[in-house]
């Protein structure tokens, strides 16, 4: 059986830019999977906000992140690229972190060179650890990859650009050092304009990722054709599903506060127009019915008949 990492590596070697929409839980991942993408990205910011209710400032723990990643990967049919923050400790902690992500079955993770507690790469107050310490962490991660699953994709990120006055030169130098230490993909966080972005694509010596955060941060809006021309291999849109969820739910809740019945009708109509099928179809009840027919005794199948699938009314 081909691993998710092997499938992701094949995509990275292709000529086309790999576009990954950001999701924050299995539900939003299921939507992305139904729409159809070659890979999906699990945002750390959205995971923290949706799972524990805190911003991306080091409040979520490694087990919580890995559980979310495992649940997302189980729900989708394509490789998942998952945020692994700063690895949740030093180089020895990295060993367990990577082992756990490998066990979760995801295709890739990215690890950044921030101090603890870390924070969103597009906020003030970030600090990076010394370069030699960061290289050691990537070496540890690469060794675990080689021992446990050579197809697993390791992405190394530097937050040195704009951190304490850090330069783009420093960030590119760090990322190239991480690639030399065994990372598969380089990730420079926070280029401020198209000129810097082009330098990243051309000067990072290996596969390279762009973090398309939109108005959340400093990274510029650019055409995907330009990213391809600048030798980028992968682009993630980390907060896509999170922003979409917040804005849509806020809109519908505000309408609901004024007229609950009318708001519920509007939501029903919008859902029906989305072409995802019924809620039961989307969530997987038809498969549950198949399991019942295959595995349950006949008496139990009769007992549950009509209670699952398209015949059930939502609550």
């Amino acid at each position: 059986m081909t691993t998710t990492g092997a499938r992701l590596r094949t995509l990275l070697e292709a000529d086309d830019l790999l576009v990954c929409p950001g999701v924050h839980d299995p539900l939003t991942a299921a939507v992305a999977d139904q729409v159809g993408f070659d890979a999906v990205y699990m945002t750390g910011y959205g995971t923290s906000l949706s799972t524990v209710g805190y911003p991306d400032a080091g409040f979520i723990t490694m087990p919580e992140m890995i559980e979310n990643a495992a649940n997302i990967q189980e729900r989708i049919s394509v490789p998942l690229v998952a945020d692994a923050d700063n690895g949740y400790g030093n180089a020895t902690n990295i060993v367990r972190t990577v082992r756990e992500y490998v066990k979760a079955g995801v295709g890739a993770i990215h690890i950044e060179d921030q101090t603890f507690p870390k924070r969103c790469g597009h906020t003030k107050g970030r600090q990076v650890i010394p370069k030699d310490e960061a290289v050691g962490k990537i070496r540890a991660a690469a060794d675990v990859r080689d021992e446990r699953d050579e197809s697993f994709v390791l992405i190394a990120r530097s937050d040195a650009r704009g951190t304490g006055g850090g330069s783009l030169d420093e960030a590119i130098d760090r990322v190239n050092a991480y690639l030399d230490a065994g990372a598969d993909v380089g990730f420079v966080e926070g280029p401020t304009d198209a000129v810097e972005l082009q330098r990243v694509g051309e000067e990072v010596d290996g596969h390279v990722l762009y973090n398309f955060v939109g108005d959340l941060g400093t990274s510029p809006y650019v055409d995907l054709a330009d990213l391809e021309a600048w030798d980028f291999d992968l682009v993630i849109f980390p907060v896509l599903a999170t922003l979409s969820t917040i804005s849509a739910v806020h809109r519908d809740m505000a309408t609901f506060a004024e007229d609950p019945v009318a708001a519920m009708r509007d939501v029903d109509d919008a859902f029906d127009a989305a072409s995802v099928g019924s809620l039961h179809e989307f969530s997987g009840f038809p498969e549950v019915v198949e399991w019942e027919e295959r595995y349950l005794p006949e008496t139990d199948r009769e007992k549950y008949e009509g209670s699952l699938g398209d015949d059930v009314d939502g609550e």
Side-chain angles (χ1 to χ4, degrees), residues 280-301:
H280 305 305
E281 290 171 333
F282 173 79
S283 66
F285 261 126
E287 188 175 22
V288 173
V289 172
E290 291 179 4
W291 295 339
E292 290 180 340
E293 292 174 347
R294 182 179 303 176
Y295 303 119
L296 292 184
E298 185 174 352
T299 54
D300 285 341
R301 294 202 302 269

Side-chain angles (χ1 to χ4, degrees), residues 207-247:
H207 291 304
V208 60
L209 175 153
Y210 178 48
N211 186 20
F212 209 129
V213 299
D215 291 341
L216 178 69
T218 60
S219 298
Y221 270 88
V222 292
D223 291 335
L224 297 189
D226 288 333
L227 292 178
E228 287 191 288
W230 299 333
D231 295 327
F232 281 84
D233 301 280
L234 170 65
V235 56
I236 59 175
F237 292 76
V239 292
L240 174 66
T242 304
L243 293 181
S244 176
T245 298
I246 294 170
S247 60

Side-chain angles (χ1 to χ4, degrees), residues 53-307:
Y54 290 97
D56 185 13
F59 292 106
I60 194 166
T61 65
M62 182 260 285
E64 291 167 324
M65 288 285 285
I66 290 171
E67 180 180 18
N68 195 46
N71 289 338
I72 290 173
Q73 186 64 82
E74 175 65 23
R75 186 62 177 82
I76 62 178
S77 60
V78 297
L80 180 69
V81 179
D83 192 344
D85 294 322
N86 57 4
Y88 312 103
N90 64 15
T92 59
N93 299 110
I94 285 283
V95 172
R96 182 180 176 224
T97 295
V98 179
R99 286 178 176 178
E100 294 297 326
Y101 272 103
V102 170
K103 285 197 297 184
V106 303
I109 60 171
H110 67 73
I111 298 172
E112 64 209 36
D113 54 7
Q114 284 194 44
T115 58
F116 182 87
K118 60 89 60 186
R119 59 197 302 125
C120 171
H122 292 267
T123 59
K124 295 181 179 180
R126 292 170 294 131
Q127 298 294 326
V128 293
I129 61 177
K131 177 182 171 182
D132 59 347
E133 182 182 351
V135 167
K137 293 174 70 171
I138 297 302
R139 285 177 49 221
D143 284 346
V144 175
R145 175 203 59 206
D146 295 344
E147 293 168 1
R148 296 299 176 96
D149 180 2
E150 291 184 345
S151 69
F152 186 76
V153 178
L154 176 60
I155 303 168
R157 163 179 151 180
S158 178
D159 283 62
R161 176 69 181 105
T163 300
S167 67
L168 183 66
D169 288 337
E170 179 184 356
I172 292 173
D173 176 70
R174 279 175 171 254
V175 165
N176 281 329
Y178 305 157
L179 289 166
D180 288 341
D184 301 296
V185 180
F187 175 0
V188 173
E189 182 68 294
T192 59
D193 56 34
V195 173
E196 289 197 355
L197 194 56
Q198 184 174 359
R199 281 194 57 198
V200 170
E202 295 175 350
E203 296 179 27
V204 170
D205 190 18
H207 291 304
V208 60
L209 175 153
Y210 178 48
N211 186 20
F212 209 129
V213 299
D215 291 341
L216 178 69
T218 60
S219 298
Y221 270 88
V222 292
D223 291 335
L224 297 189
D226 288 333
L227 292 178
E228 287 191 288
W230 299 333
D231 295 327
F232 281 84
D233 301 280
L234 170 65
V235 56
I236 59 175
F237 292 76
V239 292
L240 174 66
T242 304
L243 293 181
S244 176
T245 298
I246 294 170
S247 60
V249 172
H250 187 277
R251 178 196 64 227
D252 292 338
M253 286 292 180
T255 303
F256 182 85
E258 296 177 358
D259 189 336
V261 175
M264 188 65 218
R265 173 55 60 195
D266 289 344
V267 169
D268 272 336
D269 290 344
F271 185 88
D272 292 341
S275 302
V276 298
S278 72
L279 179 59
H280 305 305
E281 290 171 333
F282 173 79
S283 66
F285 261 126
E287 188 175 22
V288 173
V289 172
E290 291 179 4
W291 295 339
E292 290 180 340
E293 292 174 347
R294 182 179 303 176
Y295 303 119
L296 292 184
E298 185 174 352
T299 54
D300 285 341
R301 294 202 302 269
E302 293 174 351
K303 178 173 62 177
Y304 290 118
E305 185 176 356
S307 66

